[in-house]
Amino acid sequence: MSGSIQELFGEEETTEEEIEKHYGTVDISTDEVTAGAYETWTITYTVGQFGFDDGTRMKVSTNQTSDWGRPQFDEPEEPNYCTVSTTGEATVEGRWDRYYQNPKPWGDNVIIDTYDGYLEEGDEVTITYGDRSEGSPGHRIQSFPETAFHFMFQIDMQGTGDYVTLDELEYEIFAGEPTSLQVFAPSVVQPGEQTEIVVRALDYFGNTARDFSSTLEVELSDDEADFVGTVDADGPVTFIPVEFSSEGVHRVTVSDADRDWSQTSNPLRCDPESEHSIYWGDIHGQSGKTVGTGTIDEYFQFARNEGMLDFSSHCANDFQVDEEYWEEIKDAIETYHEPGEHVTLLANEWSSNTVSGGDQNVYYRNVDEPLVASGSWQDGEGFNKHEGVYPIENLYDYYEGRDDVLIFPHQGGRPARLRDPDTIDTDLTTFVEINSIWGVFEWLGHEAIERGYKVGFSCGSDDHTGRLGAARPTSQFEVDEKANLQAADFNVKGGLMGAKMEALDRDSLWESLSERRAYGTTGERMLLDVDLDGNDMGADVTVDSAAPFSVEAYGTSPIKRIDLFDGAEMIDSVDLTDGNDLLEFTWSGARSKNRHKVLQADGSLSLSKGIINDATEFGFDHPDQGITRVSSNAIEWDSTISGNYLGIKVDLDAPDDAKLAFSVPFLDETFELDELDDEMIVEIEEYLGVQLAVRRVGEATETDVELEFDLSDQSSGEHAYYARVIQEDGGMAWSSPIYATIE
């Protein structure tokens, strides 16, 4: 037994033999499976001496964070078909129930009803997941690895509603075979400095592949030396020493000739005059003791060794954290903190009900901090469950005057409630999070600035899947009006924060966070610099006149547009594509600000006259989504949105009076080509910022862009200027604002 009844109920003196005699035993048929694969396995319960009465139930529960296929009992030819049988003289019938009497995170349940008879000692009940006997391809395993995927097997032998946990069965989920490469490079180096690039082999779902071996060709883009060499890779993660001799922005291309793969790294700046290096981090995620997966050691090991993060943190929901776990978190923060290699921050996700403040991440400069929670609903007793530091005003009062604590609002299951303008503490809140696996939340940054906050924009993952720094969207279930909770709402890949730091240590990171000297991306390691009259992002300055706002952006894909914002208003935009012979359709926005943000956006585009020559997609993060069909007059796709931007770019050969019909569940729009100017925006007021944008564009070709925005027409007063960079592949970055008072 992997999770014994003695431990669960404190009956240390009860032997396993006694438990098995009276309660029975349960076994699982396999101990390992492959992420995302279709598999078949069984769980078999053998009834004990106590028996199983007419009208009783058993229950198999799993972690709601998992995106494994939802068991179904009605369609034997479809995926995830599940059956239940017994050797006894009774009827057993299975059903799926998402919300059946379990504490978080055990939210997914197969309920087995026993009726028209009873079961006696020795009778067996067999649950077959992925029963292939009538044509089902099997049951789909979750899309990410886990060393111990648990099935909590519970029994109610007398039908009282009082369940006993008999065992916690488990199997290990391994990553799949390699399908592509990812190449990491440091963002800033010195000429002649030896550094390392890292090559990570990925499976279909973006996990670190299970196995990989190859001879890789490495090419450096250096003006003085066009080096090509070979490296033998004997494992899914390979470190390759390199150095650059000339100043400027470089990239490294790694190829696998046998597999016909080629991947180019993020941009690397070789700059002897640089005051700061750019370090990459993800400071928002949690592991398996709350609503994540895996151990806290596995969490940090992935962040450092596979996510290739320079800095990280761990943010567990506070109502699930007791003093013992808080000490475990602090120990891990100390263990994985290695200045010069990897920096960690102690953190806590203050998770009050939305009315009291919602989700806010609290970060600490020092590790020796007490647990300050909004409440203790899952670890408290009786009336004490509500006790804690809440609402949000009390949390700010508790930390008032501290320069070693920061509070970042974010959008997770409980939307953050921003404070009223007359109660804002700008020293404690220097960032708001505008991107995570839940979606893209530019509106939160806009609202913060409009309320009077002076904040930078952070991006992270809020990862629950053990992949901090490399979180990917989980498989979608049927989207409905009720929150699916966890996995189905993790709709996009995790974001990253690029921090400008003097050194890779905790003091430098804290200074960067305190001074808003960092920016966020949707996961791409772009280089981004902005300047206003000699001031960098995060600055709060007064200027005599409106100097140009300059932007330098070095992408991981060609850059198609850079937008300039003043707070919530986009005041200028530069199209960096070549020509206007293509049509770009972008749909974006979210269902709501609440927990369930995902909006179904499967759709089609049809052409009444002429021919569709070609169509390409951008911004589709999940490998199972994207264009599904292209014909001479129609395009179809699968997609979901939760604040993110995605779409298609179409090459047409059609007359001006040809009609285009765009259709998704929330919009049907038909227009003639001659009605379309450079841009058309259709707003959908029913939802949160949902819109369709249609633009005449060309192909983006430049990955390195330097430009200036003219601010000479700006009025005097207070402004919050920042740049948004959009790549051809859909990747995005946001600079933190420069807060400028123009006199």
Side-chain angles (χ1 to χ4, degrees), residues 24-88:
T25 61
V26 60
D27 299 290
I28 192 168
S29 63
T30 188
D31 58 7
E32 63 178 58
V33 291
T34 300
Y38 286 92
E39 305 272 3
T40 298
W41 71 95
T42 60
I43 292 176
T44 302
Y45 170 58
T46 304
V47 180
Q49 190 178 85
F50 196 75
F52 225 84
D53 218 350
D54 194 322
T56 56
R57 295 184 179 92
M58 57 194 78
K59 176 170 55 172
V60 186
S61 305
T62 57
N63 191 322
Q64 65 191 39
T65 296
S66 176
D67 65 347
W68 71 313
R70 287 345 188 197
Q72 55 91 10
F73 295 84
D74 301 320
E75 300 177 273
E77 296 181 356
E78 297 299 318
N80 310 315
Y81 183 56
C82 186
T83 59
V84 183
S85 62
T86 182
T87 60

Side-chain angles (χ1 to χ4, degrees), residues 446 449 457 549 563-565 567 720-724 734-737:
H446 297 164
I449 293 171
F457 298 147
F549 185 90
D563 303 320
L564 176 65
F565 282 80
Y721 296 118
Y722 67 92
R724 179 178 67 186
W734 298 263
S735 72
S736 287

Side-chain angles (χ1 to χ4, degrees), residues 500-559:
K500 299 186 175 187
M501 299 161 57
E502 293 181 1
L504 185 55
D505 57 43
R506 193 172 283 160
D507 288 343
S508 294
L509 175 58
W510 196 259
E511 182 181 342
S512 176
L513 297 180
S514 299
E515 297 181 1
R516 304 185 293 263
R517 204 169 55 244
Y519 60 95
T521 81
T522 53
E524 299 77 17
R525 301 191 181 205
M526 303 184 212
L527 293 177
L528 177 59
D529 287 297
V530 297
D531 181 274
L532 176 61
D533 199 26
N535 297 286
D536 200 354
M537 66 179 71
D540 186 359
V541 297
T542 298
V543 293
D544 293 334
S545 60
F549 185 90
S550 64
V551 181
E552 294 183 13
Y554 303 93
T556 59
S557 167
I559 297 170

Side-chain angles (χ1 to χ4, degrees), residues 180-184 198-202 206-208 236-237 302 306 470:
S180 63
L181 300 176
Q182 184 177 24
V183 183
F184 300 91
V198 183
V199 182
R200 179 171 168 245
L202 306 180
N207 304 306
T208 304
V237 179
F302 184 98
E306 298 181 45

Side-chain angles (χ1 to χ4, degrees), residues 374-644:
S374 62
S376 56
W377 194 258
Q378 283 200 251
D379 58 36
E381 296 293 337
F383 184 71
N384 295 330
K385 284 177 174 289
H386 79 284
E387 291 185 347
V389 178
Y390 77 94
I392 184 63
E393 287 74 20
N394 287 347
L395 182 69
Y396 276 90
D397 289 344
Y398 185 91
Y399 289 119
E400 185 178 5
R402 296 274 296 265
D403 63 1
D404 56 356
V405 179
L406 293 171
I407 302 171
F408 294 179
H410 76 90
Q411 284 296 296
R414 290 154 293 274
R417 176 168 66 81
L418 298 178
R419 305 187 75 194
D420 294 329
D422 60 348
T423 62
I424 293 168
D425 188 332
T426 56
D427 291 331
L428 282 174
T429 294
T430 56
F431 280 87
V432 294
E433 185 182 82
I434 63 169
N435 167 233
S436 70
I437 53 176
W438 296 84
V440 174
F441 313 112
E442 291 171 305
W443 64 266
L444 183 62
H446 297 164
E447 181 181 335
I449 293 171
E450 289 177 338
R451 281 177 176 259
Y453 285 76
K454 290 187 176 179
V455 291
F457 298 147
S458 71
C459 296
S461 66
D462 196 4
D463 178 59
H464 291 47
T465 66
R467 297 178 291 181
L468 193 74
R472 292 294 183 269
T474 49
S475 295
Q476 298 297 314
F477 314 128
E478 183 177 352
V479 176
D480 56 30
E481 294 303 304
K482 185 186 293 185
N484 285 309
L485 304 176
Q486 310 309 337
D489 291 313
F490 299 157
N491 192 50
V492 300
K493 65 179 186 290
L496 292 175
M497 173 184 276
K500 299 186 175 187
M501 299 161 57
E502 293 181 1
L504 185 55
D505 57 43
R506 193 172 283 160
D507 288 343
S508 294
L509 175 58
W510 196 259
E511 182 181 342
S512 176
L513 297 180
S514 299
E515 297 181 1
R516 304 185 293 263
R517 204 169 55 244
Y519 60 95
T521 81
T522 53
E524 299 77 17
R525 301 191 181 205
M526 303 184 212
L527 293 177
L528 177 59
D529 287 297
V530 297
D531 181 274
L532 176 61
D533 199 26
N535 297 286
D536 200 354
M537 66 179 71
D540 186 359
V541 297
T542 298
V543 293
D544 293 334
S545 60
F549 185 90
S550 64
V551 181
E552 294 183 13
Y554 303 93
T556 59
S557 167
I559 297 170
K560 65 182 177 184
R561 193 166 75 251
I562 297 181
D563 303 320
L564 176 65
F565 282 80
D566 181 2
E569 181 185 1
M570 187 170 71
I571 60 174
D572 204 349
S573 180
V574 176
D575 181 353
L576 297 164
T577 65
D578 184 15
N580 64 351
D581 55 334
L582 304 174
L583 283 183
E584 179 185 87
F585 295 80
T586 302
W587 48 100
S588 58
R591 178 183 174 274
S592 77
K593 296 180 181 180
N594 299 311
R595 179 182 296 274
H596 184 24
K597 302 170 177 65
V598 179
L599 191 62
Q600 195 70 44
D602 295 345
S604 64
L605 180 73
S606 61
L607 178 68
S608 66
K609 298 180 182 178
I611 295 174
I612 297 174
N613 294 321
D614 191 23
T616 57
E617 64 190 44
F618 57 87
F620 290 83
D621 284 349
H622 198 286
D624 288 347
Q625 295 185 3
I627 293 175
T628 57
R629 186 177 76 89
V630 179
S631 68
S632 62
N633 63 355
I635 307 166
E636 295 177 359
W637 59 82
D638 291 339
S639 71
T640 49
I641 53 173
S642 54
N644 52 311

